[in-house]
Amino acid sequence: MKLRSLLLLLAILISNAPAAFSEENGDPAKTAPILAESAREENSPVEDEAADLDYIRAKNSIFEQKYSEAVKYLEKALKKDPKSPHLNNEISKVYSLVGEFDKAVAAAKISVEADPKKVEYRFNLAEALTSAKSYAEARKEYSKVLELEPTNQRAGLLVAIIDSEMGDDAKAIESLSKLIRENSDNPIPLFYRARIYLEKNQIEEIGRAHV
């Protein structure tokens, strides 16, 4: 376990067990915040210090796959720093993990509004919309990712998959063929294009690997 996580754990133990500390060892109420503060990252993406400590606790909960607990810590952090794009982006991901898709979308939109050109936030919004089965909106967001980062193959692939799921196989094949030309070493676009051809009973097209 990293030193920062150990320091945070020790701070939590102290705050929960003050009887274990005598006067000689100092005041636990004062010691715990000092230890927790030392656990903060020097260049944390969360500006508010109190919110950042809850964010650290949330990250530990996520590492332990305690997602409901992580949501509580992140919601607590957001009460202290409600406009934080990073916190909203992180809680959006965890909301998706616990099946709260509407909340995931709402939080992701706050992040995108704060920093529309950040690919990570835009991509996360697209994924949240996909989880919420808002495929048309998700496609728009993946397309915006491609406007910001034209070489993002994952976004290109997901646009094509959504096109196929929405019944536009021709557009999906066009997008997948473009991805294959750009990176013939990636088998995933080739697989999805072959699947579309197979579903359309166009077996002869499957062997067209790089065109």
Side-chain angles (χ1 to χ4, degrees), residues 21-120:
F21 291 81
S22 66
E23 291 183 2
E24 294 178 0
N25 293 328
D27 184 353
K30 295 178 181 178
T31 306
I34 292 171
L35 287 170
E37 172 63 26
S38 65
R40 295 188 70 234
E41 297 177 2
E42 289 184 8
N43 298 313
S44 173
V46 180
E47 294 182 5
D48 184 276
E49 292 185 7
D52 190 40
L53 295 179
D54 288 319
Y55 169 60
I56 293 169
R57 293 183 176 98
K59 288 205 296 185
N60 288 337
S61 296
I62 292 168
F63 179 77
E64 296 172 357
Q65 298 184 348
K66 297 177 180 178
Y67 301 123
S68 295
E69 182 178 277
V71 165
K72 291 179 182 178
Y73 282 128
L74 287 169
E75 287 178 339
K76 188 177 177 182
L78 279 164
K79 287 181 180 178
K80 299 163 185 170
D81 193 2
K83 294 183 180 181
S84 167
H86 185 79
L87 285 175
N88 277 288
N89 189 60
E90 291 302 305
I91 201 170
S92 172
K93 296 175 187 177
V94 186
Y95 276 144
S96 289
L97 290 172
V98 297
E100 297 277 1
F101 302 124
D102 290 340
K103 289 183 178 180
V105 170
K109 284 182 177 179
I110 293 173
S111 298
V112 169
E113 288 170 4
D115 192 349
K117 293 185 178 180
K118 192 172 180 69
V119 170
E120 178 188 350

